[in-house]
PDB file of all heavy atoms in Angstrom:
ATOM      1  N   ALA J  16     -28.623 -12.116  28.617  1.00 72.00           N
ATOM      2  CA  ALA J  16     -29.119 -13.068  27.627  1.00 72.00           C
ATOM      3  C   ALA J  16     -28.343 -12.911  26.322  1.00 72.00           C
ATOM      4  O   ALA J  16     -27.977 -11.796  25.938  1.00 72.00           O
ATOM      5  CB  ALA J  16     -30.606 -12.846  27.391  1.00 72.00           C
ATOM      6  N   TYR J  24     -26.307  -6.324  13.042  1.00 96.00           N
ATOM      7  CA  TYR J  24     -26.063  -5.156  13.883  1.00 96.00           C
ATOM      8  C   TYR J  24     -25.149  -4.180  13.152  1.00 96.00           C
ATOM      9  O   TYR J  24     -24.447  -4.540  12.197  1.00 96.00           O
ATOM     10  CB  TYR J  24     -25.421  -5.583  15.206  1.00 96.00           C
ATOM     11  CG  TYR J  24     -26.284  -6.529  16.021  1.00 96.00           C
ATOM     12  CD1 TYR J  24     -26.192  -7.914  15.843  1.00 96.00           C
ATOM     13  CD2 TYR J  24     -27.196  -6.052  16.942  1.00 96.00           C
ATOM     14  CE1 TYR J  24     -26.986  -8.788  16.566  1.00 96.00           C
ATOM     15  CE2 TYR J  24     -28.001  -6.913  17.673  1.00 96.00           C
ATOM     16  CZ  TYR J  24     -27.886  -8.285  17.477  1.00 96.00           C
ATOM     17  OH  TYR J  24     -28.686  -9.145  18.188  1.00 96.00           O
ATOM     18  N   ILE J  58      -5.441  -7.990   9.045  1.00 97.00           N
ATOM     19  CA  ILE J  58      -6.164  -6.716   9.063  1.00 97.00           C
ATOM     20  C   ILE J  58      -7.356  -6.808   8.114  1.00 97.00           C
ATOM     21  O   ILE J  58      -7.230  -7.296   6.980  1.00 97.00           O
ATOM     22  CB  ILE J  58      -5.239  -5.557   8.663  1.00 97.00           C
ATOM     23  CG1 ILE J  58      -4.108  -5.439   9.704  1.00 97.00           C
ATOM     24  CG2 ILE J  58      -6.014  -4.241   8.571  1.00 97.00           C
ATOM     25  CD1 ILE J  58      -3.019  -4.478   9.323  1.00 97.00           C
ATOM     26  N   GLY J  88       3.907 -11.119  -4.590  1.00 95.00           N
ATOM     27  CA  GLY J  88       4.944 -10.927  -3.583  1.00 95.00           C
ATOM     28  C   GLY J  88       5.289  -9.465  -3.344  1.00 95.00           C
ATOM     29  O   GLY J  88       4.791  -8.557  -4.014  1.00 95.00           O
ATOM     30  N   HIS J 103     -11.553 -10.262  -1.030  1.00 97.00           N
ATOM     31  CA  HIS J 103     -11.606 -11.490  -0.228  1.00 97.00           C
ATOM     32  C   HIS J 103     -12.323 -11.205   1.094  1.00 97.00           C
ATOM     33  O   HIS J 103     -11.852 -10.407   1.903  1.00 97.00           O
ATOM     34  CB  HIS J 103     -10.183 -11.984   0.013  1.00 97.00           C
ATOM     35  CG  HIS J 103     -10.094 -13.249   0.801  1.00 97.00           C
ATOM     36  ND1 HIS J 103      -8.875 -13.773   1.227  1.00 97.00           N
ATOM     37  CD2 HIS J 103     -11.053 -14.110   1.258  1.00 97.00           C
ATOM     38  CE1 HIS J 103      -9.114 -14.886   1.901  1.00 97.00           C
ATOM     39  NE2 HIS J 103     -10.416 -15.101   1.937  1.00 97.00           N
ATOM     40  N   GLY J 129       4.508  11.125   9.116  1.00 89.00           N
ATOM     41  CA  GLY J 129       5.166  10.131   9.956  1.00 89.00           C
ATOM     42  C   GLY J 129       4.472   9.875  11.273  1.00 89.00           C
ATOM     43  O   GLY J 129       4.888   8.997  12.036  1.00 89.00           O
ATOM     44  N   ASN J 136     -11.217   9.277  20.608  1.00 88.00           N
ATOM     45  CA  ASN J 136     -10.815   9.618  21.978  1.00 88.00           C
ATOM     46  C   ASN J 136      -9.370  10.103  22.065  1.00 88.00           C
ATOM     47  O   ASN J 136      -8.846  10.313  23.155  1.00 88.00           O
ATOM     48  CB  ASN J 136     -10.999   8.403  22.888  1.00 88.00           C
ATOM     49  CG  ASN J 136     -12.454   7.976  22.984  1.00 88.00           C
ATOM     50  OD1 ASN J 136     -13.349   8.827  23.084  1.00 88.00           O
ATOM     51  ND2 ASN J 136     -12.699   6.665  22.977  1.00 88.00           N
ATOM     52  N   ASN J 138      -6.710   8.409  21.075  1.00 92.00           N
ATOM     53  CA  ASN J 138      -5.751   7.318  21.237  1.00 92.00           C
ATOM     54  C   ASN J 138      -5.055   7.012  19.911  1.00 92.00           C
ATOM     55  O   ASN J 138      -5.683   6.994  18.854  1.00 92.00           O
ATOM     56  CB  ASN J 138      -6.461   6.058  21.739  1.00 92.00           C
ATOM     57  CG  ASN J 138      -7.135   6.275  23.081  1.00 92.00           C
ATOM     58  OD1 ASN J 138      -6.539   6.826  24.001  1.00 92.00           O
ATOM     59  ND2 ASN J 138      -8.396   5.852  23.198  1.00 92.00           N
ATOM     60  N   TYR J 163       6.942   5.757 -12.875  1.00 93.00           N
ATOM     61  CA  TYR J 163       7.752   6.962 -13.018  1.00 93.00           C
ATOM     62  C   TYR J 163       9.137   6.594 -13.541  1.00 93.00           C
ATOM     63  O   TYR J 163       9.486   5.418 -13.636  1.00 93.00           O
ATOM     64  CB  TYR J 163       7.917   7.674 -11.665  1.00 93.00           C
ATOM     65  CG  TYR J 163       6.634   8.082 -10.995  1.00 93.00           C
ATOM     66  CD1 TYR J 163       6.000   7.235 -10.094  1.00 93.00           C
ATOM     67  CD2 TYR J 163       6.048   9.318 -11.255  1.00 93.00           C
ATOM     68  CE1 TYR J 163       4.812   7.613  -9.459  1.00 93.00           C
ATOM     69  CE2 TYR J 163       4.867   9.706 -10.632  1.00 93.00           C
ATOM     70  CZ  TYR J 163       4.257   8.853  -9.741  1.00 93.00           C
ATOM     71  OH  TYR J 163       3.094   9.218  -9.123  1.00 93.00           O
ATOM     72  N   ASP J 180      12.908  20.215 -13.007  1.00 93.00           N
ATOM     73  CA  ASP J 180      12.364  21.566 -13.169  1.00 93.00           C
ATOM     74  C   ASP J 180      12.323  21.993 -14.632  1.00 93.00           C
ATOM     75  O   ASP J 180      11.739  23.030 -14.953  1.00 93.00           O
ATOM     76  CB  ASP J 180      13.195  22.568 -12.370  1.00 93.00           C
ATOM     77  CG  ASP J 180      12.941  22.464 -10.876  1.00 93.00           C
ATOM     78  OD1 ASP J 180      11.776  22.600 -10.473  1.00 93.00           O
ATOM     79  OD2 ASP J 180      13.899  22.216 -10.121  1.00 93.00           O
ATOM     80  N   LYS J 189      16.847   7.238  -6.016  1.00 91.00           N
ATOM     81  CA  LYS J 189      17.827   6.162  -6.088  1.00 91.00           C
ATOM     82  C   LYS J 189      18.358   5.991  -7.500  1.00 91.00           C
ATOM     83  O   LYS J 189      19.546   5.711  -7.706  1.00 91.00           O
ATOM     84  CB  LYS J 189      17.178   4.862  -5.598  1.00 91.00           C
ATOM     85  CG  LYS J 189      18.088   3.651  -5.600  1.00 91.00           C
ATOM     86  CD  LYS J 189      17.380   2.439  -5.030  1.00 91.00           C
ATOM     87  CE  LYS J 189      18.296   1.224  -5.012  1.00 91.00           C
ATOM     88  NZ  LYS J 189      17.620   0.041  -4.439  1.00 91.00           N
ATOM     89  N   SER J 194      19.980  12.556  -3.239  1.00 91.00           N
ATOM     90  CA  SER J 194      19.443  12.390  -1.892  1.00 91.00           C
ATOM     91  C   SER J 194      18.439  13.496  -1.602  1.00 91.00           C
ATOM     92  O   SER J 194      18.352  14.498  -2.327  1.00 91.00           O
ATOM     93  CB  SER J 194      20.576  12.453  -0.857  1.00 91.00           C
ATOM     94  OG  SER J 194      21.130  13.753  -0.811  1.00 91.00           O
ATOM     95  N   GLY J 211      21.370  15.743 -21.064  1.00 91.00           N
ATOM     96  CA  GLY J 211      22.014  15.055 -22.173  1.00 91.00           C
ATOM     97  C   GLY J 211      22.770  13.798 -21.795  1.00 91.00           C
ATOM     98  O   GLY J 211      23.458  13.207 -22.629  1.00 91.00           O
ATOM     99  N   SER J 214      19.574   9.212 -23.126  1.00 80.00           N
ATOM    100  CA  SER J 214      18.914   9.431 -24.407  1.00 80.00           C
ATOM    101  C   SER J 214      17.419   9.661 -24.222  1.00 80.00           C
ATOM    102  O   SER J 214      16.776   9.038 -23.380  1.00 80.00           O
ATOM    103  CB  SER J 214      19.143   8.227 -25.321  1.00 80.00           C
ATOM    104  OG  SER J 214      18.384   8.353 -26.512  1.00 80.00           O
ATOM    105  N   ASP J 218      17.220   2.833 -26.954  1.00 63.00           N
ATOM    106  CA  ASP J 218      17.037   1.611 -27.733  1.00 63.00           C
ATOM    107  C   ASP J 218      16.092   0.673 -26.986  1.00 63.00           C
ATOM    108  O   ASP J 218      16.301   0.361 -25.821  1.00 63.00           O
ATOM    109  CB  ASP J 218      18.410   0.941 -27.932  1.00 63.00           C
ATOM    110  CG  ASP J 218      18.321  -0.295 -28.820  1.00 63.00           C
ATOM    111  OD1 ASP J 218      17.209  -0.723 -29.130  1.00 63.00           O
ATOM    112  OD2 ASP J 218      19.393  -0.816 -29.186  1.00 63.00           O
ATOM    113  N   CYS J 225      18.654   3.412 -15.802  1.00 78.00           N
ATOM    114  CA  CYS J 225      18.561   3.012 -14.398  1.00 78.00           C
ATOM    115  C   CYS J 225      17.794   1.698 -14.376  1.00 78.00           C
ATOM    116  O   CYS J 225      16.611   1.659 -14.643  1.00 78.00           O
ATOM    117  CB  CYS J 225      17.877   4.075 -13.541  1.00 78.00           C
ATOM    118  SG  CYS J 225      16.282   4.628 -14.164  1.00 78.00           S
ATOM    119  N   TRP J 228      14.830  -2.094 -10.006  1.00 66.00           N
ATOM    120  CA  TRP J 228      15.473  -2.446  -8.746  1.00 66.00           C
ATOM    121  C   TRP J 228      15.469  -3.929  -8.426  1.00 66.00           C
ATOM    122  O   TRP J 228      16.331  -4.425  -7.718  1.00 66.00           O
ATOM    123  CB  TRP J 228      14.799  -1.703  -7.595  1.00 66.00           C
ATOM    124  CG  TRP J 228      14.582  -0.265  -7.848  1.00 66.00           C
ATOM    125  CD1 TRP J 228      15.285   0.543  -8.694  1.00 66.00           C
ATOM    126  CD2 TRP J 228      13.587   0.564  -7.265  1.00 66.00           C
ATOM    127  NE1 TRP J 228      14.789   1.818  -8.681  1.00 66.00           N
ATOM    128  CE2 TRP J 228      13.740   1.862  -7.804  1.00 66.00           C
ATOM    129  CE3 TRP J 228      12.580   0.341  -6.340  1.00 66.00           C
ATOM    130  CZ2 TRP J 228      12.936   2.924  -7.441  1.00 66.00           C
ATOM    131  CZ3 TRP J 228      11.773   1.402  -5.974  1.00 66.00           C
ATOM    132  CH2 TRP J 228      11.955   2.675  -6.519  1.00 66.00           C
ATOM    133  N   ARG J 232      21.232  -6.312 -13.357  1.00 56.00           N
ATOM    134  CA  ARG J 232      21.620  -5.657 -14.611  1.00 56.00           C
ATOM    135  C   ARG J 232      22.389  -6.651 -15.476  1.00 56.00           C
ATOM    136  O   ARG J 232      23.313  -7.305 -15.004  1.00 56.00           O
ATOM    137  CB  ARG J 232      22.482  -4.425 -14.331  1.00 56.00           C
ATOM    138  CG  ARG J 232      22.902  -3.682 -15.598  1.00 56.00           C
ATOM    139  CD  ARG J 232      23.792  -2.497 -15.251  1.00 56.00           C
ATOM    140  NE  ARG J 232      23.033  -1.414 -14.681  1.00 56.00           N
ATOM    141  CZ  ARG J 232      22.414  -0.482 -15.399  1.00 56.00           C
ATOM    142  NH1 ARG J 232      22.460  -0.540 -16.712  1.00 56.00           N
ATOM    143  NH2 ARG J 232      21.754   0.486 -14.816  1.00 56.00           N
ATOM    144  N   LYS J 249      -4.669   5.401 -14.399  1.00 26.00           N
ATOM    145  CA  LYS J 249      -5.325   6.704 -14.446  1.00 26.00           C
ATOM    146  C   LYS J 249      -6.349   6.796 -13.331  1.00 26.00           C
ATOM    147  O   LYS J 249      -7.187   5.925 -13.191  1.00 26.00           O
ATOM    148  CB  LYS J 249      -6.021   6.901 -15.792  1.00 26.00           C
ATOM    149  CG  LYS J 249      -5.066   6.794 -16.987  1.00 26.00           C
ATOM    150  CD  LYS J 249      -3.969   7.825 -16.940  1.00 26.00           C
ATOM    151  CE  LYS J 249      -3.068   7.721 -18.151  1.00 26.00           C
ATOM    152  NZ  LYS J 249      -1.965   8.682 -18.097  1.00 26.00           N
ATOM    153  N   LYS J 258       2.126  17.496  -6.291  1.00 37.00           N
ATOM    154  CA  LYS J 258       2.292  18.939  -6.372  1.00 37.00           C
ATOM    155  C   LYS J 258       3.688  19.384  -5.969  1.00 37.00           C
ATOM    156  O   LYS J 258       4.198  20.375  -6.451  1.00 37.00           O
ATOM    157  CB  LYS J 258       1.245  19.629  -5.493  1.00 37.00           C
ATOM    158  CG  LYS J 258      -0.191  19.409  -5.970  1.00 37.00           C
ATOM    159  CD  LYS J 258      -1.171  20.143  -5.080  1.00 37.00           C
ATOM    160  CE  LYS J 258      -2.600  19.947  -5.555  1.00 37.00           C
ATOM    161  NZ  LYS J 258      -3.572  20.634  -4.698  1.00 37.00           N
TER     162      LYS J 258
END
Side-chain angles (χ1 to χ4, degrees):
Y24 299 89
I58 297 171
H103 181 186
N136 297 319
N138 300 313
Y163 302 92
D180 286 303
K189 181 177 181 179
S194 67
S214 173
D218 184 351
C225 52
W228 313 335
R232 181 182 286 274
K249 302 300 182 182
K258 295 181 179 179

